[in-house]
Amino acid sequence: MSGRAQLMWDEAVTGYDFGPGHPMDPVRLVLTRKLVGALGVDRELETVAAKPAGDSTLRLVHRDDYIEAVKAASADPAAADTSYGLGTPDDPAFAGMHEVSALIAGQSVAAAEAVWRGEALHAVNFTGGLHHAMPGSASGFCVYNDAALAIARLLELGVERVAYVDVDVHHGDGVQAAFWEDPRVLTISVHEHPRTLFPQSGWPQETGAGAGEGAAVNLPLPAGTGDAGWVRAFHAVVPELLADFLPQVLVSQHGADTHFEDPLAHLAVSLDAQRVVQLACHELAHEYADGKWVALGGGGYAVVDVVPRSWTHLVAIAAGRPVAPETVIPEGWRQEVYARTRELAPQRMTDGRWPVSWAPWEGGYDPADRLDQSVLATRRSAFPLRGLLP
């Protein structure tokens, strides 16, 4: 097995552009890739541009009629069929939409293939993590669900157990839906409570169905949850489930929109806590999945101050060369930011919240604490279905 990590990148992914004023600004992808280069992180891994996902791959998750609807909207955006979630305010149609969405999906699928086949130990596609797309519709800025497609491809290759851990501020509803009845895929989503955030799903009681009962786990957190609570909640649920499930591959989604500066959500997590959870996912992959780790991006709409730094940390961790939080950001990158956005760039790779301290769940819980109530609700709903004590 190659110990070298892969970074999936093709400049053409920046064509995933819903237009001026849309929160999903592709400048976040450009700036992330340039920060990875400015800090020399890309010298520690292999950069790979994979082919777009073909129709047969897209059909692993998406319906034929939906793929055809995306192609039609891609060729003539004005004719987009809103019954498929296309041409809406969240998912405006644009020329070339099918091609670039398939390209992003292709990067995640190729990342999964490389990791499973031993061509890379870890692979990162920060342009992916488009976890809201459903089998038959676009949703929440997501056209094709690259995360679900990567997992479906792993199953096609014969993998028997895949764990998907989603720490985006929004519920990973599309991935959960794709594997709702499949016991081979354990989906765990840690997100802001559906009472206060799109897509209004991801309640603790959503645990899968049929043979997949107990294979979906949802941990909704109160709005305003900060570093200590967020990291505590993650560690109160995720490691124990992975220890029980023993995945052969870990796929994780690292939306940066849990951050306190994100304009679309209401958690209060710092870059430093995001880095703690990225490190934890890396460690869990080694502890329970023989190191096989596919890491994806996701949401994140503070496109200058947060997303590039968060995902550069992710890439560096996957490369085996974590960037120290106190690292000074190169002036050349900061000038690039100003030239592209007329915004002042951050100066260091930290929010100044390092080190992050949190109280382990094993030390006891407070039944009157809202965060602990959320963790308890999740453990009580999901854990007994897996034969674990709540």
Side-chain angles (χ1 to χ4, degrees):
M1 173 182 287
S2 166
R4 199 162 166 81
Q6 287 187 1
L7 171 63
M8 316 308 294
W9 175 257
D10 183 323
E11 195 78 34
V13 297
T14 60
Y16 193 81
D17 187 352
F18 290 113
H22 193 282
M24 188 79 111
D25 188 337
V27 76
R28 67 196 198 123
L29 306 178
V30 177
L31 293 178
T32 300
R33 180 65 187 90
K34 288 187 176 294
L35 184 55
V36 166
L39 290 171
V41 174
D42 54 353
R43 293 196 295 269
E44 307 293 337
L45 39 69
E46 179 186 4
T47 301
V48 176
K51 296 185 300 184
D55 287 5
S56 62
T57 298
L58 295 174
R59 287 191 202 105
L60 293 174
V61 168
H62 294 290
R63 296 198 322 244
D64 261 334
D65 59 316
Y66 175 61
I67 296 168
E68 293 307 312
V70 175
K71 289 180 180 178
S74 185
D76 182 5
D81 187 341
T82 55
S83 70
Y84 289 101
L86 303 167
T88 63
D90 269 7
D91 298 275
F94 60 91
M97 180 170 66
H98 165 74
E99 289 76 11
V100 72
S101 300
L103 180 64
I104 290 171
Q107 309 307 305
S108 292
V109 169
E113 290 173 342
V115 166
W116 179 243
R117 290 170 174 160
E119 296 159 12
L121 189 57
H122 311 322
V124 183
N125 178 25
F126 61 75
T127 68
L130 304 178
H131 59 168
H132 295 307
M134 292 291 176
S137 64
S139 176
F141 315 159
C142 304
V143 178
Y144 292 139
N145 196 319
D146 65 285
L149 288 163
I151 294 167
R153 177 62 177 141
L154 288 169
L155 298 178
E156 189 177 51
L157 290 171
V159 182
E160 296 174 350
R161 293 181 309 283
V162 182
Y164 173 73
V165 175
D166 188 320
V167 296
D168 192 289
V169 78
H170 302 92
H171 175 225
D173 56 340
V175 184
Q176 174 180 287
F179 305 106
W180 185 243
E181 298 186 20
D182 195 331
R184 298 172 297 173
V185 182
L186 174 65
T187 63
I188 309 171
S189 181
V190 183
H191 48 268
E192 184 180 327
H193 203 285
R195 271 196 296 263
T196 52
L197 195 66
F198 174 90
Q200 281 79 51
S201 61
W203 298 79
Q205 296 77 19
E206 295 172 35
T207 54
E213 187 179 16
V217 180
N218 287 289
L219 177 48
L221 303 179
T225 296
D227 289 1
W230 190 66
V231 178
R232 170 177 168 81
F234 176 91
H235 281 284
V237 169
V238 177
E240 194 171 341
L241 289 167
L242 295 186
D244 169 67
F245 187 66
L246 294 176
Q248 293 165 289
V249 182
L250 174 63
V251 179
S252 57
Q253 195 268 22
H254 297 270
D257 42 9
T258 50
H259 196 273
F260 56 78
E261 286 187 20
D262 197 89
L264 300 189
H266 319 97
L267 294 191
V269 174
S270 73
L271 184 76
D272 300 299
Q274 290 177 346
R275 183 178 180 275
V276 166
V277 165
Q278 292 166 1
L279 285 164
C281 286
H282 175 248
E283 290 165 10
L284 290 166
H286 279 278
E287 193 164 353
Y288 300 118
D290 198 27
K292 291 183 169 62
W293 183 35
V294 178
L296 308 173
Y301 309 100
V303 298
V304 167
D305 200 47
V306 178
V307 175
R309 292 189 296 161
S310 185
W311 290 348
T312 296
H313 277 304
L314 179 66
V315 174
I317 290 164
R321 296 287 188 276
V323 173
E326 61 271 17
T327 300
V328 174
I329 292 173
E331 181 60 28
W333 184 81
R334 301 182 68 246
Q335 290 174 358
E336 174 96 23
V337 166
Y338 188 77
R340 286 180 178 269
T341 67
R342 290 296 183 261
E343 292 185 36
L344 295 177
Q347 298 193 19
R348 298 163 81 87
M349 291 294 287
T350 177
D351 284 332
R353 306 278 184 91
W354 190 265
V356 176
S357 59
W358 51 280
W361 185 257
E362 294 73 22
Y365 59 86
D366 178 357
D369 180 83
R370 289 175 65 225
L371 180 104
D372 285 5
Q373 289 170 0
S374 296
V375 171
L376 269 176
T378 295
R379 291 180 62 100
R380 285 171 175 162
S381 291
F383 277 46
L385 295 173
R386 304 206 61 83
L388 300 173
L389 294 174

